[in-house]
Amino acid sequence: MFLAGGATAGLALAAAPAWAAEIDTADLQLITGDVVPIGTAEREARLERARALMAANGIDAVLIEPGSSMIYFAGVHWWRSERLTALALPRRGRPVMVTPFFEEPSVRQTLAIPADVRVWQEDEDPLALVAGALREAGAAGGTIGIEETVRFFASDGLARRLPQARLASANPVVRGCRLRKSPAELALLQKANDVTLAALRWTWPRVKEGMQPADLRALVSAATAKLGGVAEDALVLLGEASAYPHGSRKPQAVREGQVVLFDCGCTVEGYTSDISRTAVFGRAPDDVTRVFDHVAQGQQVALKAARVGAPAGSVDDAVRRFYATLGYGPGYRLPGLPHRTGHGIGLDGHEPVNLVHGEATPLAPGMCFSDEPGLYLPGRFGVRLEDCWHMTEAGPRLFTVPPTRIDAPFA
């Protein structure tokens, strides 16, 4: 469930303090030296797959703004602002990157595919450039797929400049490519998970009574960096705060016999890990141990329900049925599981599709998900265990091994 930034940043996701850089990590070694970045051949295969999906779905071009989909198809790492940078992927012809004139040298630094780069000056219309590129590709009177995160001003502006075009969702193309990870992507996801789990294992013995969430986040971040991952803000919930999935504004400190919940991730070559572990500082109370055991069983129920061809939502349904037999819920009621069982993961920490009731997308090899059926008892504590996995013909294959005992949560 790890989230980077966003509305919860003021709760439990504030960045680690600057002194995290001073933490002694001399006993850790880089473990990402063997990482193989996404290469030219893979990006060419992605473009060919996108063109085939466009043809199959009657889409003539796709419009993409900066973000993970632009990274996926073009390699370009950029940000969104009022100045439009956009990628047009036509079914026929070369991709076209539109960007401000003064940003072109920077954009080209990460451009990883053969593409035309067209620039606009501050007093010019970038969407006119996009429209012109689509006319040249023969797509101006056809169907333009809009990637699902493109902002309204861009899609609306394009529609005004191409009144004969029909705008539609690009999900059949973009999701059609991104949902099923390649072996190269799976290798990067595996390495990111290796880094995060190693960082958590290193951090736990260094936790002391009285530490605050920022102290624990600093340890995780320092370890992650030394191991070779790009650290993201870690979520650390202590005591009662663990009963609320994304934390509490109340002051927190490590105390004997209380829950310590970590929800952490990092990136390796842009691919994300997301691991949650619940531990107890000192001896675990019986009620916490009992709920921990239930969550560990819930993770296994989810994995057993995940089969090729099964609707993604059926995994969530199976977990809720199991929890109801234990007296939780029903449904999303508390005490119980108030959030989905899992989410997609890849270049984004949260990406389609979700393991949630009603999600009909069939599970297929290469799809990647989190498995995090946490249980929360308001006013008391919560337990979340989270491990990510990818679908294979034989069933789920885990990136990390779920813990089964509260006295060995990082094993």
Side-chain angles (χ1 to χ4, degrees):
M1 185 182 281
F2 168 73
L3 294 171
T8 56
L11 299 181
L13 286 176
W19 47 261
E22 302 172 4
I23 294 172
D24 183 5
T25 57
D27 55 336
L28 290 173
Q29 295 183 340
L30 183 77
I31 64 172
T32 57
D34 58 346
V35 162
V36 178
I38 299 298
T40 301
E42 172 123 354
R43 293 199 191 278
E44 290 175 351
R46 292 174 179 180
L47 293 175
E48 286 304 310
R49 172 70 173 156
R51 293 184 184 109
L53 288 169
M54 285 187 224
N57 290 277
I59 294 174
D60 297 284
V62 170
L63 180 69
I64 298 171
E65 279 202 87
S68 57
S69 289
M70 185 176 284
I71 293 169
Y72 180 87
F73 287 110
V76 173
H77 292 254
W78 204 246
W79 62 90
R80 299 184 186 195
S81 73
E82 74 282 5
R83 295 185 174 99
L84 184 72
T85 290
L87 174 67
L89 291 180
R91 191 198 312 177
R92 303 179 185 87
R94 283 163 62 93
V96 176
M97 182 71 66
V98 171
T99 195
F101 166 76
F102 65 90
E103 305 286 24
E104 179 185 6
S106 302
V107 168
R108 285 189 179 275
Q109 287 178 355
T110 54
L111 182 60
I113 58 172
D116 295 336
V117 179
R118 303 186 184 184
V119 301
W120 56 279
Q121 302 293 350
E122 292 278 69
D123 59 351
E124 294 179 333
D125 178 4
L127 286 164
L129 285 180
V130 175
L134 295 177
R135 286 192 192 94
E136 293 171 16
T143 299
I144 311 300
I146 305 299
E147 196 266 353
E148 61 189 305
T149 68
V150 168
R151 293 169 292 176
F152 177 76
F153 86 87
S155 60
D156 181 63
L158 184 61
R160 292 172 184 273
R161 287 155 184 80
L162 294 177
Q164 303 305 313
R166 185 179 77 90
L167 271 56
S169 170
N171 282 355
V173 177
V174 177
R175 288 193 181 188
C177 290
R178 291 187 56 186
L179 278 181
R180 300 178 67 170
K181 274 59 176 180
S182 70
E185 292 180 285
L186 294 175
L188 294 172
L189 287 163
Q190 181 64 65
K191 187 63 71 170
N193 279 273
D194 291 345
V195 168
T196 296
L197 187 55
L200 288 170
R201 286 171 172 166
W202 181 87
T203 295
W204 182 239
R206 290 164 176 78
V207 173
K208 309 290 188 213
E209 186 163 10
M211 280 185 167
Q212 298 179 1
D215 302 318
L216 277 64
R217 290 195 299 270
L219 289 168
V220 174
S221 296
T224 297
K226 183 64 178 292
L227 290 161
V230 177
E232 303 282 356
D233 293 339
L235 179 66
V236 177
L237 307 177
L238 305 177
E240 182 192 341
S242 64
Y244 314 108
H246 287 155
S248 167
R249 291 185 182 275
K250 294 180 180 179
Q252 303 167 46
V254 175
R255 296 288 181 249
E256 177 75 20
Q258 290 195 347
V259 164
V260 179
L261 194 160
F262 295 90
D263 189 344
C264 306
C266 77
T267 62
V268 172
E269 290 293 326
Y271 285 83
T272 308
S273 61
D274 194 357
I275 298 176
S276 295
R277 291 291 183 266
T278 299
V280 171
F281 187 76
R283 182 186 177 280
D286 292 343
D287 55 350
V288 177
T289 298
R290 181 172 59 256
V291 175
F292 183 101
D293 291 344
H294 291 164
V295 175
Q297 293 171 50
Q299 281 195 295
Q300 295 304 314
V301 168
L303 294 170
K304 290 176 182 176
R307 292 293 179 264
V308 168
S314 66
V315 177
D316 186 69
D317 294 340
V319 172
R320 292 184 196 282
R321 284 195 301 270
F322 169 67
Y323 281 168
T325 68
L326 302 176
Y328 299 106
Y332 297 94
R333 294 179 184 174
L334 293 170
L337 171 57
H339 56 71
R340 61 202 174 198
T341 294
H343 55 79
I345 191 166
L347 282 169
D348 291 317
H350 288 190
E351 62 181 47
V353 291
N354 296 311
L355 303 179
V356 66
H357 175 73
E359 177 55 66
T361 302
L363 298 179
M367 289 183 173
C368 297
F369 299 96
S370 69
D371 179 9
E372 49 178 311
L375 289 170
Y376 307 89
L377 285 66
R380 299 176 63 197
F381 63 88
V383 173
R384 183 161 66 250
L385 303 174
E386 178 183 13
D387 295 88
C388 293
W389 52 273
H390 63 95
M391 199 71 220
T392 76
E393 290 288 356
R397 181 171 299 170
L398 288 153
F399 292 110
T400 50
V401 178
T404 58
R405 297 181 7 236
I406 197 167
D407 60 349
F410 304 98

